[in-house]
Amino acid sequence: MTAIHVLNGPNLNLLGRREPGIYGSATLADIERDLRAQAGRLGIDLTFRQTNAEGELVGFVQEAGLAGAGVLINAAAYTHTSVALRDAIAGSGALAVEVHLSNVHAREAFRHVSLIAPVCAGVICGFGPMSYSLGLDALARLMAGRSDTTQP
Ligand code: CA2
């Protein structure tokens, strides 16, 4: 069974409780519930995690990548700052898709830069919780394509 780890970075535990004008009213638990339903339909074994600590997020990425699981990641602020996270994605061989709730390109200049985008298969941003849903679909298709190419 295809395994995908959905990894969430700092402050995303506050979703739905603060700044609804930017991030909407859905909580992270709402997003997890909808992704679990989608994963069930797609036949995906889903792990869903959030941490405020950079080192812990690095550990989550390594764990997923080394196990051959796909990584759907909203690294939040670490997107724009973390060389360690980029190295973890590249070094663990994780097939990763970067997602953001907001359209980071329509916001402050420092959010236009992603240190992890170059080591991700693609980036989806600006669609609120739908960014996660679109990202899960894309990652599931990429992983299916990857296993299709293996020899019997
Ligand atoms: O749009 C996204 O998904 C972001 O990854 C969210 C991050 C931000 O640093 C990125 O530039 C874009 C911020 C997550 C913090 O979420 C909060 C939610 C409610 C209240 C405060 C923060």
Side-chain angles (χ1 to χ4, degrees):
M1 193 182 214
T2 299
I4 290 180
H5 292 208
V6 183
L7 305 181
N8 295 280
N11 298 307
L12 287 164
N13 54 309
L14 298 176
L15 271 184
R17 285 181 262 233
R18 300 270 192 282
E19 304 201 67
I22 300 175
Y23 298 116
S25 57
T27 65
L28 201 59
D30 292 333
I31 292 173
E32 176 177 2
R33 183 199 59 226
D34 289 351
L35 282 189
R36 287 199 180 283
Q38 184 179 351
R41 293 191 294 272
L42 293 169
I44 287 167
D45 177 21
L46 196 86
T47 297
F48 193 96
R49 288 171 157 172
Q50 188 273 333
T51 178
N52 292 326
E54 182 177 10
E56 192 170 31
L57 193 57
V58 165
F60 288 169
V61 168
Q62 287 186 8
E63 190 183 323
L66 293 175
V71 172
L72 184 68
I73 185 163
N74 184 351
Y78 294 140
T79 304
H80 317 298
T81 63
S82 181
V83 175
L85 197 54
R86 175 193 178 119
D87 288 350
I89 295 169
S92 67
L95 180 58
V97 170
E98 175 183 345
V99 296
H100 299 282
L101 295 155
S102 64
N103 179 356
V104 288
H105 301 290
R107 301 183 64 193
E108 303 96 323
F110 67 84
R111 295 187 205 275
H112 301 177
V113 176
S114 168
L115 297 193
I116 67 171
V119 294
C120 289
V123 182
I124 298 170
C125 74
F127 298 101
M130 203 200 328
S131 292
Y132 283 76
S133 171
L134 294 168
L136 183 63
D137 197 37
L139 187 52
R141 289 176 187 221
L142 288 176
M143 294 192 75
R146 196 165 66 167
S147 56
D148 281 352
T149 60
T150 56
Q151 297 301 310

